[in-house]
Amino acid sequence: MLGTNNIHPMEELKGHLRQILKVIPPRTEIYYLDYPVHSNGGDLLIMKGTEAFFRDNDIHVRARYSILDCPLSLKVPEGITIVLHGGGNFGDLYPAHQKLRERMIAQHPNHRIVILPQTMFYKSDIELKKTAQVFNRHKDVHFFVRDTLSYDIASKEFQQTNVYLSPDMAHQLWPLKSKSKPTAEMLYFFRKDIEKTQNQVHYESVSGPKATFKDWETLYNRVDRKIIRMITSRLKSGKGSSFARWLWYKYSDRMVHTAIKEFNQYQTITTSRLHGHILACLLDQQNILLDNSYGKNSNYYAAWTKSNPAGRLESNQTSTYNKPTETGKGASTVVLSDGAAL
């Protein structure tokens, strides 16, 4: 399935990530902060895409910290660029991650700080104004956002910040090759957290007793959860944190492979998870996207994946915020940290 100029739409999105090189050029030395340590496969796909982007573009990661082991007063050497993980946790729904970002900006006024593609959402305008005060005191923050609503808000409120529109970092993983043929028709991959909506109820009521419903938390087993708890405990304590970080990168490769294997079993994915949609698109797999509680999914679809015939937005939903955006071109080979092709 090809887009403009016989280039696949997913290849175009991957190429569009190269604009990040304008603020993190090749051979830049960076600290990569707030990488995820949990069982949310969407964040893991973002992390793997981010690390692939660093490798593919000769960006040198000198240190990595998660929210679990990042010091309250992190000392960053002069000349190092601070790069913060992307995703959908910018705002007041996930305050721990937001506080980490704002602390880094406040503590490092002379460092370049880059926030990789995020979706913004604030329930409270007061909290948004507080964040804007922190950002507007810094002269070298570069903020990539994943949809036009976030872009409009950030451009208005963060007047000292360089704001860019960008697809999600997981697109760097294109293409993911399927090694098996589907054996079942449909997987319902639905979120169960604070971003869940009532749109899922319809599918749950008409799907029948044999339908398969999963989410990231049900995709992984008790052993997975036990290992994650062990790794998080080591990172929090600071005892053996280097080993714990190494183990997590290896184990998270396995978790991503598990998600790919699960998706490969089905002809079609119906999902309310943005990265359920993105993973299916990376696999060039038919998928139907439902919105989340605050329009993140429909906004992202309108901005980036609308032109991809493999996916479609659920017919009763439309985005009220975004317009499709132009994309770039690019290609490279992506491997996991264990060297295995994704």
Side-chain angles (χ1 to χ4, degrees), residues 17 47 54 76 93 112 131 147 150-152 222 234 240 245 266 275-276 333 341:
L17 292 174
M47 180 176 74
F54 295 156
V76 182
L93 285 184
R112 170 163 291 189
T131 299
D147 62 87
S150 296
Y151 181 86
D152 291 343
R222 184 173 58 183
R234 287 205 172 199
R245 190 178 302 115
Y266 300 90
H275 283 84
T333 301

Short mmCIF file of all heavy atoms in Angstrom, two decimals, residues 17 47 54 76 93 112 131 147 150-152 222 234 240 245 266 275-276 333 341:
data_model
loop_
_atom_site.label_atom_id
_atom_site.label_comp_id
_atom_site.label_asym_id
_atom_site.label_seq_id
_atom_site.Cartn_x
_atom_site.Cartn_y
_atom_site.Cartn_z
N LEU A 17 10.49 11.97 11.13
CA LEU A 17 11.21 12.05 12.41
C LEU A 17 12.60 12.68 12.25
O LEU A 17 13.18 13.15 13.23
CB LEU A 17 11.34 10.66 13.03
CG LEU A 17 10.05 10.01 13.53
CD1 LEU A 17 10.30 8.57 13.97
CD2 LEU A 17 9.43 10.82 14.67
N MET A 47 9.94 3.65 23.37
CA MET A 47 11.33 3.54 23.81
C MET A 47 12.19 2.84 22.77
O MET A 47 13.31 3.29 22.46
CB MET A 47 11.39 2.77 25.14
CG MET A 47 12.79 2.59 25.69
SD MET A 47 12.85 1.77 27.30
CE MET A 47 12.49 0.07 26.84
N PHE A 54 18.28 6.86 17.89
CA PHE A 54 19.62 7.24 18.35
C PHE A 54 20.68 6.45 17.59
O PHE A 54 21.68 7.02 17.12
CB PHE A 54 19.76 6.99 19.85
CG PHE A 54 18.87 7.84 20.72
CD1 PHE A 54 18.51 7.42 22.00
CD2 PHE A 54 18.39 9.08 20.29
CE1 PHE A 54 17.70 8.19 22.82
CE2 PHE A 54 17.57 9.86 21.09
CZ PHE A 54 17.23 9.41 22.36
N VAL A 76 24.33 17.26 35.17
CA VAL A 76 24.56 16.96 33.75
C VAL A 76 25.77 17.76 33.28
O VAL A 76 25.79 18.99 33.41
CB VAL A 76 23.33 17.30 32.90
CG1 VAL A 76 23.56 16.94 31.44
CG2 VAL A 76 22.09 16.57 33.43
N LEU A 93 -2.52 14.69 33.99
CA LEU A 93 -3.06 13.35 34.25
C LEU A 93 -2.01 12.44 34.89
O LEU A 93 -2.34 11.52 35.64
CB LEU A 93 -3.56 12.71 32.95
CG LEU A 93 -4.88 13.20 32.37
CD1 LEU A 93 -5.26 12.37 31.15
CD2 LEU A 93 -6.01 13.14 33.41
N ARG A 112 20.70 22.50 26.53
CA ARG A 112 19.61 22.27 25.56
C ARG A 112 18.76 21.12 26.07
O ARG A 112 19.28 20.07 26.47
CB ARG A 112 20.16 21.95 24.18
CG ARG A 112 19.10 21.47 23.20
CD ARG A 112 19.55 21.54 21.76
NE ARG A 112 19.66 22.94 21.33
CZ ARG A 112 19.87 23.32 20.07
NH1 ARG A 112 19.99 22.40 19.11
NH2 ARG A 112 19.97 24.59 19.76
N THR A 131 2.98 25.19 34.35
CA THR A 131 3.97 24.59 33.45
C THR A 131 4.55 25.65 32.53
O THR A 131 5.77 25.68 32.30
CB THR A 131 3.32 23.47 32.61
OG1 THR A 131 2.84 22.44 33.48
CG2 THR A 131 4.32 22.87 31.63
N ASP A 147 0.22 16.17 17.78
CA ASP A 147 -1.04 16.54 17.12
C ASP A 147 -1.18 18.05 17.10
O ASP A 147 -0.51 18.76 17.84
CB ASP A 147 -2.24 15.89 17.82
CG ASP A 147 -2.38 16.38 19.26
OD1 ASP A 147 -3.03 17.42 19.46
OD2 ASP A 147 -1.83 15.74 20.18
N SER A 150 -2.26 19.94 20.43
CA SER A 150 -1.12 20.13 21.33
C SER A 150 -0.20 21.23 20.80
O SER A 150 0.32 22.05 21.57
CB SER A 150 -0.33 18.83 21.48
OG SER A 150 -1.12 17.83 22.10
N TYR A 151 0.00 21.25 19.49
CA TYR A 151 0.86 22.26 18.87
C TYR A 151 0.31 23.67 19.12
O TYR A 151 1.07 24.58 19.48
CB TYR A 151 0.98 21.99 17.38
CG TYR A 151 1.87 22.97 16.65
CD1 TYR A 151 3.25 22.77 16.59
CD2 TYR A 151 1.34 24.10 16.03
CE1 TYR A 151 4.07 23.67 15.94
CE2 TYR A 151 2.15 25.01 15.38
CZ TYR A 151 3.52 24.79 15.33
OH TYR A 151 4.32 25.70 14.69
N ASP A 152 -0.99 23.83 18.94
CA ASP A 152 -1.60 25.15 19.13
C ASP A 152 -1.49 25.60 20.58
O ASP A 152 -1.17 26.76 20.86
CB ASP A 152 -3.07 25.12 18.71
CG ASP A 152 -3.24 24.96 17.21
OD1 ASP A 152 -2.27 25.20 16.46
OD2 ASP A 152 -4.35 24.57 16.77
N ARG A 222 2.18 -13.52 34.83
CA ARG A 222 2.60 -13.30 36.21
C ARG A 222 4.12 -13.24 36.34
O ARG A 222 4.66 -12.46 37.13
CB ARG A 222 2.05 -14.41 37.09
CG ARG A 222 2.33 -14.24 38.57
CD ARG A 222 1.60 -15.28 39.38
NE ARG A 222 1.97 -16.62 38.97
CZ ARG A 222 1.42 -17.74 39.49
NH1 ARG A 222 0.47 -17.64 40.40
NH2 ARG A 222 1.82 -18.93 39.07
N ARG A 234 15.03 -2.64 42.24
CA ARG A 234 16.47 -2.38 42.17
C ARG A 234 16.76 -0.96 41.71
O ARG A 234 17.68 -0.31 42.22
CB ARG A 234 17.14 -3.38 41.22
CG ARG A 234 17.25 -4.78 41.80
CD ARG A 234 18.38 -5.52 41.14
NE ARG A 234 18.65 -6.80 41.79
CZ ARG A 234 19.79 -7.47 41.68
NH1 ARG A 234 20.77 -6.97 40.93
NH2 ARG A 234 19.97 -8.60 42.30
N GLY A 240 22.59 -2.04 42.40
CA GLY A 240 22.62 -2.81 41.17
C GLY A 240 21.81 -2.18 40.06
O GLY A 240 21.29 -2.88 39.20
N ARG A 245 19.13 -1.87 34.80
CA ARG A 245 18.85 -1.15 33.55
C ARG A 245 19.18 -2.03 32.35
O ARG A 245 18.40 -2.10 31.39
CB ARG A 245 19.67 0.14 33.52
CG ARG A 245 19.29 1.09 32.40
CD ARG A 245 20.13 2.37 32.47
NE ARG A 245 19.96 3.04 33.75
CZ ARG A 245 20.93 3.19 34.66
NH1 ARG A 245 22.15 2.71 34.41
NH2 ARG A 245 20.70 3.82 35.78
N TYR A 266 -3.90 -12.36 14.41
CA TYR A 266 -5.23 -11.87 14.01
C TYR A 266 -5.18 -11.13 12.68
O TYR A 266 -4.21 -10.44 12.37
CB TYR A 266 -5.79 -10.94 15.10
CG TYR A 266 -5.93 -11.63 16.43
CD1 TYR A 266 -4.88 -11.64 17.34
CD2 TYR A 266 -7.10 -12.31 16.76
CE1 TYR A 266 -5.00 -12.30 18.56
CE2 TYR A 266 -7.22 -12.96 17.98
CZ TYR A 266 -6.17 -12.96 18.87
OH TYR A 266 -6.28 -13.61 20.07
N HIS A 275 -1.21 3.01 20.59
CA HIS A 275 -0.12 2.16 20.11
C HIS A 275 -0.56 0.76 19.74
O HIS A 275 0.23 0.01 19.16
CB HIS A 275 1.03 2.15 21.13
CG HIS A 275 1.84 3.41 21.06
ND1 HIS A 275 1.46 4.55 21.72
CD2 HIS A 275 2.95 3.73 20.35
CE1 HIS A 275 2.31 5.52 21.45
NE2 HIS A 275 3.23 5.05 20.61
N GLY A 276 -1.80 0.41 20.01
CA GLY A 276 -2.38 -0.76 19.36
C GLY A 276 -2.55 -0.46 17.88
O GLY A 276 -2.22 -1.27 17.01
N THR A 333 17.39 0.53 8.71
CA THR A 333 17.14 -0.76 9.31
C THR A 333 17.10 -0.61 10.82
O THR A 333 17.90 0.08 11.41
CB THR A 333 18.26 -1.75 8.93
OG1 THR A 333 18.29 -1.84 7.52
CG2 THR A 333 17.99 -3.11 9.54
N ALA A 341 16.14 -8.65 14.65
CA ALA A 341 15.30 -7.79 13.81
C ALA A 341 13.89 -7.79 14.35
O ALA A 341 13.33 -8.82 14.66
CB ALA A 341 15.30 -8.29 12.37
#
